[in-house]
Amino acid sequence: MKTKGKNRGFTLIEILVVLAIMGVLLAVVTPPLTNFKKRSILNAETQEAVTLINKARMSAISSKDDQQFGVHFESGKIVLFPGTAYVAGAGANEERIFDSAITATTTINGGGSELLFAKIIGSTTQNATTTLLIVGTTSSTTILVRQSGIVTIN
């Protein structure tokens, strides 16, 4: 009795089963990865904003260039500026533009969009609250700047 040689390879059914399993795994894994990426962006943007605020405060404490320093808040960016008033486009300004996945809202006691730090002591006359929110979600962080100039993240 002769046996025919076996065909080697995968059947159509086997390939379809593997593709179905891969599709299910992809559907299960994608949302957590997307949320992780968005949360990472939020954390990075929060740290960048805090760093810039602290840099303004430290520059004021050290009386760099014998000036006060402040921070100007906008929806899509935060700007460190020298002097007692923000001047858009000034060469000495240091700008941090937020990722497009983030929106920022800032409330400063007494109004306005600028927070000014006093020379040598680094305090401010106002409290500021900035909330960074991931667009399309409820994930957010809040940055608080107290009158002492100390920055905290909630």
Side-chain angles (χ1 to χ4, degrees):
M1 193 158 130
K2 291 184 181 179
T3 57
K4 294 185 179 182
K6 287 188 171 182
N7 290 334
R8 294 193 176 169
F10 298 106
T11 66
L12 180 60
I13 298 288
E14 291 171 329
I15 292 172
L16 290 175
V17 167
V18 168
L19 288 175
I21 291 170
M22 289 176 61
V24 168
L25 287 175
L26 186 62
V28 169
V29 171
T30 301
L33 287 178
T34 302
N35 289 339
F36 174 76
K37 180 182 177 191
K38 288 179 179 180
R39 193 75 182 153
S40 295
I41 291 169
L42 178 62
N43 290 338
E45 293 296 337
T46 300
Q47 290 303 319
E48 290 286 335
V50 168
T51 298
L52 197 63
I53 294 167
N54 281 330
K55 184 175 181 180
R57 181 173 183 254
M58 289 297 116
S59 294
I61 288 172
S62 69
S63 297
K64 182 179 177 186
D65 300 326
D66 196 32
Q67 295 193 63
Q68 288 182 281
F69 283 80
V71 180
H72 173 78
F73 298 94
E74 290 183 30
S75 161
K77 68 181 177 180
I78 183 172
V79 183
L80 179 153
F81 65 90
T84 58
Y86 171 68
V87 177
N93 291 351
E94 187 175 332
E95 210 174 78
R96 174 67 180 130
I97 298 172
F98 295 122
D99 188 283
S100 60
I102 302 290
T103 59
T105 55
T106 302
T107 304
I108 299 176
N109 293 0
S113 58
E114 297 162 12
L115 194 61
L116 192 61
F117 296 99
K119 289 192 312 186
I120 301 175
I121 57 176
S123 65
T124 182
T125 59
Q126 301 168 301
N127 292 324
T129 304
T130 299
T131 302
L132 300 180
L133 174 71
I134 299 173
V135 175
T137 70
T138 57
S139 296
S140 66
T141 56
T142 302
I143 302 168
L144 298 163
V145 182
R146 307 200 186 283
Q147 285 184 324
S148 64
I150 301 294
V151 180
T152 58
I153 301 171
N154 290 339

